[in-house]
Amino acid sequence: MREQVLVTGGAGYIGSHALVELCNSSRDVVVIDNLCNSSEVALSRVSEITGKPVRFYQGDVGDRVLLDQVFKDNNISSVIHFAGLKAVGESSEKPLEYYRNNVAGTLVLLEAMRSASVKQLVFSSSATVYGTDAPVPYVETLQTGNTSNPYGTSKWMVEQILIDAARADAGLSVALLRYFNPVGAHPSGLIGEDPRGIPNNLLPYIAQVAVGKRPELSVFGDDYPTPDGTCRRDYLHVVDLAKGHVRALDWVANNTGAEAFNLGTGRASSVLEIIRAFEDAAGVEIPFRIAPRRPGDLPAFWADASKSERILGWKAELGLAEMMVDTWRWQSRNPDGYRSAAEEGQLESEPA
């Protein structure tokens, strides 16, 4: 049996795009996802794009019995760990749920990996681990911690666990991938970001305004110390981000220890710049109003991704125009996200 990559949370936004790139790199994939914030339709769309099957187990990463069965049934050589709750605001309202899912769930996964003698892990981390006082651009050598919300703290905690685990096990190899702001969609228009309820992130909200699902966008603050007064962020095309995971898998296959890598473009765009870029791409006007600042929003941050280019051989290739065009293609063709395709034929799940 060929070696396989286990992808936790593989039916989600970033996970589904990573599956495409993994399949394109001739890797066989196995997915675990509890579908709490994702759709099985995404997996059938991945198979449609790649022409390759996706073996899917519906269940929770904290379910040790299920994990042991997955490792027993398959020839897993490495794991990409996406599964986790990720809404910053919600994490402040439900901290216990975030710590149980993101931190405790990772511990269960690590224990199952140890029992199965699987030593290679790529972890979906976040730029939030740099905290509120880090200077820009963020570099991997900065001190982490001092996070402003339980979501960021949970990512930081998991990083510390993985670093300690790699120190204790000389054969363990871990890539900590610190994301900035993933946006966009696959150029096919078949998979993309499909938030449930009110979007927490800027671009899916703009896209929903563009298709008439929401009346207007709120821009939180226009008095920041930035050129146009709005917050600036490092936006990264999700396809570039997905390709970074393939490069990280190559790294963990040939190295040991835990190493952090920033995945970003190294450029920051403001909220108003994103609005204008989307309007240009979609040919529609985005109505917006200026609203009060949100607590915890930083004026600006972006990545220094030179380490990823130097060590992983990875560099972001897609620009703002592609991010906006691909987002609009996905949203305009799927105005209700995957829910509009919920009655299509879907993959059969393995019994949990």
Side-chain angles (χ1 to χ4, degrees):
M1 183 185 295
R2 287 175 48 168
E3 292 185 348
Q4 298 159 305
V5 181
L6 174 62
V7 183
T8 73
Y13 172 45
I14 302 172
S16 60
H17 287 81
L19 290 177
V20 170
E21 300 305 323
L22 290 167
C23 290
N24 288 344
S25 69
S26 300
R27 287 173 166 89
D28 292 338
V29 295
V30 178
V31 171
I32 294 177
D33 200 302
N34 65 10
L35 303 181
C36 74
N37 284 309
S38 57
S39 171
E40 193 173 349
V41 175
L43 300 179
S44 63
R45 298 279 184 88
V46 168
S47 292
E48 184 178 346
I49 293 167
T50 64
K52 296 180 180 179
V54 174
R55 191 169 196 187
F56 173 47
Y57 293 79
Q58 183 174 347
D60 196 274
V61 74
D63 183 344
R64 178 62 190 273
V65 173
L66 172 61
L67 287 176
D68 287 343
Q69 190 65 47
V70 171
F71 283 112
K72 180 181 177 182
D73 291 348
N74 301 280
N75 187 28
I76 306 294
S77 62
S78 55
V79 178
I80 302 181
H81 182 31
F82 291 108
L85 300 174
K86 64 175 186 176
V88 169
E90 182 186 63
S91 74
S92 295
E93 300 166 3
K94 301 178 178 179
L96 299 185
E97 286 83 351
Y98 271 67
Y99 292 127
R100 175 175 293 281
N101 190 87
N102 296 3
V103 181
T106 302
L107 287 172
V108 176
L109 174 63
L110 287 171
E111 290 166 350
M113 287 177 61
R114 182 172 60 186
S115 292
S117 299
V118 175
K119 300 285 190 177
Q120 301 170 22
L121 175 67
V122 175
F123 174 57
S124 167
S125 192
S126 167
T128 57
V129 301
Y130 290 111
T132 57
D133 300 322
V136 291
Y138 293 170
V139 295
E140 293 88 347
T141 53
L142 290 172
Q143 183 175 347
T144 57
N146 193 29
T147 49
S148 60
N149 54 75
Y151 162 73
T153 305
S154 73
K155 291 292 187 182
W156 179 81
M157 286 178 170
V158 171
E159 283 201 4
Q160 304 313 301
I161 290 167
L162 293 172
I163 291 168
D164 288 342
R167 285 173 179 159
D169 182 349
L172 188 62
S173 180
V174 181
L176 310 169
L177 301 187
R178 295 172 179 168
Y179 307 168
F180 282 69
N181 289 69
V183 297
H186 192 268
S188 66
L190 289 171
I191 57 174
E193 189 167 9
D194 183 25
R196 297 192 178 181
I198 300 173
N200 291 295
N201 298 322
L202 175 64
L203 202 55
Y205 203 109
I206 290 175
Q208 290 192 7
V209 171
V211 293
K213 290 181 63 103
R214 303 195 181 277
E216 66 177 6
L217 171 73
S218 294
V219 175
F220 297 106
D222 64 350
D223 58 350
Y224 285 96
T226 61
D228 63 18
T230 63
C231 293
R232 302 174 70 218
R233 299 287 182 265
D234 188 334
Y235 294 94
L236 173 67
H237 199 297
V238 67
V239 171
D240 276 332
L241 177 61
K243 291 178 179 178
H245 291 77
V246 176
R247 296 297 180 90
L249 274 183
D250 293 337
W251 185 87
V252 297
N254 294 288
N255 295 274
T256 56
E259 198 76 32
F261 299 96
N262 286 340
L263 296 184
T265 65
R267 301 181 299 274
S269 300
S270 73
V271 174
L272 295 183
E273 287 172 336
I274 293 294
I275 294 171
R276 288 193 292 268
F278 190 91
E279 289 177 333
D280 290 342
V284 298
E285 183 178 349
I286 304 298
F288 68 88
R289 65 180 180 87
I290 303 300
R293 290 187 182 192
R294 291 183 302 189
D297 274 349
L298 300 176
F301 60 83
W302 61 93
D304 179 333
S306 58
K307 180 179 178 181
S308 290
E309 183 175 5
R310 185 176 70 254
I311 297 177
L312 301 182
W314 175 90
K315 184 178 180 180
E317 298 175 345
L318 300 171
L320 211 56
E322 291 95 341
M323 298 178 205
M324 302 303 123
V325 167
D326 291 339
T327 297
W328 177 236
R329 184 184 297 111
W330 153 256
Q331 190 70 71
S332 58
R333 294 183 182 180
N334 304 270
D336 295 315
Y338 295 117
R339 285 174 290 283
S340 58
E343 300 305 318
E344 292 181 0
Q346 299 179 4
L347 299 175
E348 291 187 3
S349 304
E350 297 289 335

